[in-house]
Amino acid sequence: MRHVYRFFIYLFLTVMGLIMFLPFLWMFLSAFKTSAEVTASPPVWIPSSFSLINFQLAFEKAPFLRYFINSVVVMISSVLVTTVTSILAAFAFSRLRFPGRQTLFSMLLSMMMIPFEMLIITNYTTVIDLGIYDTIWALILPFTSSIFYTYILKNFFDTVPESLYWSARIDGASNWHYLWRVMVPMARPSLTTVILLNALASWNSFMWPMYVIIKDTNRTLPWGLQVFTTEAGSNPEQQMAASTVVVLPMIILFLFARKYIVGGVARGGLKG
Amino acid sequence: MRVRLDHVTKRFGSFTAVEDFNATLEDGELVCLLGPSGCGKSTLLNMLSGILPLTEGKIWFDKDDVTKVPPEKRGVGLVFQNYALYPHLTVQDNICFPLETQRVPKKDRIEQAQEIAKLVHVDMLMHRRPGELSGGQQQRVAIARALIKNPRLLLLDEPLSNLDARLRLEMREEIRRIQQRTKVTAVFVTHDQEEALAISDRIILMKNGITQQNDLPQALYDNPANQFVASFLGNPPINYIPGRMQDGAFLADGAAEPIRMPIFHGVPDGKKVVLAVRSEAFTTEENGPIPAEVSRVYTMGKEEMAWLQIGDIEFRAYIDNEEGLVPGKQIRLNVRRRGVFVFDPESGERLA
């Protein structure tokens, strides 16, 4: 009985896994197909050759390399700055004693409930007032801090015994030294989670770039892809090649780091 | 270094954790702060290290008033009960940490770490991480880390209570040896009287934030200042026989004969008192003044430990083996000069 039960569980998981995986596989394979193969009926699964011509054509029609570089620059800057500000804020809320600490933190947490879409208008006017509309700064500056990541890190910092802190202080370490030499290295699993989640969110960010970026050369990949699909509507195989370029880095990253993402969020005591 | 605590008081809101504490620790001395949990001994240690600010009073390190000096500038080493080793650093990096904050060059750091690691016998574990060490080894690393910066004062906060019984004995000898080798002034906090008696030059016994007695270990045992001190030290615990003074002698409640001892001089006649007798201070005597009934006997090799009964009071006594004690036997007891005290049953004050 138990084996039968297990068999169906695994069967179910396999089928569901395939259903999830198939569109990606289709996208990946179609990126190599000829335009006849991609529209053939009945559908052709395996392309006749793995030529990179579709990638080349897509890259000629739209500056995907530029989009890619923009995406990478935005992601790295945003992740770097957000991580640092989150670490500092988490340390302050976890370890330092100052009046209003609890109240302030509760206020920040309650702000997490406001969806980003609601902030778009205010952020939009701010970006215009700052004069960074339609520049890459408009994609970076609004994403230099995060309550959610601060919260995950604070939860981890709270688990570090107080004696470690006092031991370090007695041994001559300042708060700053203690934070970077002891706390941060110990928090590596949680930090990895924060960095990965942040990188994913930044990479996939679509709506915000759509609002604040007009110039072609300032677009990031998802926004550029959207424009490209409308413009190159007649060439699905080139769209698939472009989509592969957008999605693949994150899939690879996720495959390598998924145990950190799951583990870190669980450790942080919160569902993503 | 000589440490002086001058009217040190610590209050948390309306709760007084340490009240008017005065003591001087001589250079190179190992002093135990002993007392039950909540007596203020750890609070006192945290004030010495600078973790907790004082409510009142002053702390002097030699001629320096360090009352307001932050922990990182006091030059003390502290060993925590849970060792507080940095789990992501190797033993060597852990030991080097205090030197790293002082920006000692790396080569010198490692050299000094080697030296101190040899002293505490962890020199072959330098590249392991704390998680790969046993409790005793972690303890040694924590001591090495506290010692490497040549602290003016070494503080140990219940360092042995996370170890199993055998290691505890071994480590307390080790701590004593290391302290005597380095001649560092040390304060050792514990609630374990046996530990305190074995290791320290001097013991300060505390209760409810108030010093009960500050004395040599043996003096605390032989000459307790009050009933609390007498109760706290000694295993098995001291026995109490209630009674009163009559014609300069002690008459136990329900006893026929009074006990006469020179120490009773000066205790007022007719006063209700309690006679405190250490288990080893009883003797059997044919016409002894205390009639007792043997209720249980434990053989302990050279002597026997007996549960005896005087009226309703049960107590423990070490009795010479020759007597051949059996449960139910009626015997007569007397007491020796040493290990007998008289206390006021209400205030606990020592009367004789």
Side-chain angles (χ1 to χ4, degrees), chain B residues 7-207:
Chain B
H7 300 287
V8 170
T9 297
K10 180 67 192 180
R11 288 188 210 97
F12 297 102
S14 60
F15 173 73
T16 307
V18 174
E19 194 173 335
D20 194 28
F21 186 92
N22 292 286
T24 305
L25 321 179
E26 296 300 334
D27 184 37
E29 219 178 15
L30 194 161
V31 177
C32 257
L33 292 176
L34 177 66
S37 50
C39 73
K41 55 193 193 299
S42 288
T43 308
L44 208 51
L45 198 79
N46 288 340
M47 289 194 283
L48 279 170
S49 67
I51 293 176
L52 278 178
L54 281 66
T55 311
E56 276 163 37
K58 282 198 178 330
I59 296 176
W60 300 82
F61 286 2
D62 283 335
K63 290 197 164 53
D64 309 329
D65 177 359
V66 297
T67 315
K68 297 242 151 55
V69 176
E72 61 269 30
K73 301 228 167 79
R74 287 204 186 182
V76 302
L78 176 51
V79 177
F80 282 91
Q81 183 175 346
N82 61 5
Y83 320 135
L85 298 176
Y86 310 120
H88 61 293
L89 298 180
T90 61
V91 167
Q92 179 169 296
D93 288 344
N94 262 287
I95 298 176
C96 285
F97 189 87
L99 298 183
E100 192 185 305
T101 62
Q102 293 172 13
R103 301 183 196 287
V104 174
K106 188 159 187 188
K107 205 174 130 259
D108 299 356
R109 287 208 299 255
I110 293 172
E111 226 163 71
Q112 292 184 43
Q114 269 298 336
E115 206 172 297
I116 205 89
K118 271 205 191 96
L119 176 71
V120 302
H121 303 316
V122 293
D123 46 320
M124 59 300 187
L125 305 168
M126 289 304 248
H127 299 290
R128 297 226 200 139
R129 276 172 219 280
E132 302 162 343
L133 303 181
S134 70
Q137 290 168 333
Q138 291 187 27
Q139 172 71 268
R140 287 166 190 269
V141 175
I143 294 172
R145 187 181 62 184
L147 286 175
I148 194 164
K149 57 183 172 181
N150 285 318
R152 309 160 79 186
L153 175 65
L154 178 65
L155 305 169
L156 303 123
D157 188 3
E158 308 235 6
L160 303 177
S161 45
N162 282 6
L163 300 175
D164 60 51
R166 249 182 66 198
L167 255 171
R168 206 175 306 165
L169 278 179
E170 184 190 321
M171 279 313 295
R172 87 177 183 211
E173 299 306 319
E174 273 295 284
I175 289 176
R176 187 56 169 157
R177 175 184 72 86
I178 293 161
Q179 189 266 336
Q180 283 177 340
R181 269 286 294 282
T182 55
K183 299 190 175 66
V184 61
T185 313
V187 179
F188 186 104
V189 163
T190 180
H191 60 264
D192 184 335
Q193 44 130 346
E194 218 177 293
E195 225 165 83
L197 288 171
I199 201 174
S200 35
D201 292 314
R202 209 141 49 78
I203 295 176
I204 301 174
L205 181 57
M206 298 179 69
K207 180 196 171 193

